[in-house]
Amino acid sequence: GSEDFATLTSLTVTLQTDSDVAFGSPATVFTGATVLVAALLEGAVLLRVELGAASLERYLRFYYTVAGADATAGKVNAQFVESVPFQNK
């Protein structure tokens, strides 16, 4: 499961695509907002993207950019799903 983060300043999640499994030259599909550590709590949604007509190559990945010190705690669950129920928070 996910868990709260500690020590880093912020985290940014980017969805990338590439024709190469090693992601030698990834293309960015979408970059989420930079999320400060205070908001990196269990259950937080960091990135929600509807791919729709996006130009995708064979492989997709979530790429994480950490600002500040490396995290000493924290986990992220990442998944691709067909649909997500709307939640107004």
Side-chain angles (χ1 to χ4, degrees):
S2 60
E3 71 180 39
D4 295 358
F5 276 79
T7 65
L8 68 138
T9 305
S10 65
L11 184 71
T12 305
V13 181
T14 303
L15 178 63
Q16 296 179 335
T17 189
D18 201 332
S19 60
D20 175 16
V21 70
F23 282 82
S25 56
T28 296
V29 177
F30 186 84
T31 299
T34 297
V35 181
L36 299 177
V37 70
L40 290 173
L41 304 174
E42 184 174 350
V45 175
L46 305 181
L47 183 65
R48 182 176 288 159
V49 178
E50 184 175 330
L51 295 178
S55 178
L56 303 176
E57 297 182 50
R58 182 172 182 181
Y59 301 100
L60 288 171
R61 74 175 178 185
F62 295 105
Y63 186 82
Y64 304 93
T65 303
V66 173
D70 288 340
T72 58
K75 293 180 184 177
V76 172
N77 290 325
Q79 54 195 322
F80 293 99
V81 296
E82 187 172 339
S83 64
V84 176
F86 178 77
Q87 294 181 358
N88 189 6
K89 290 187 176 183

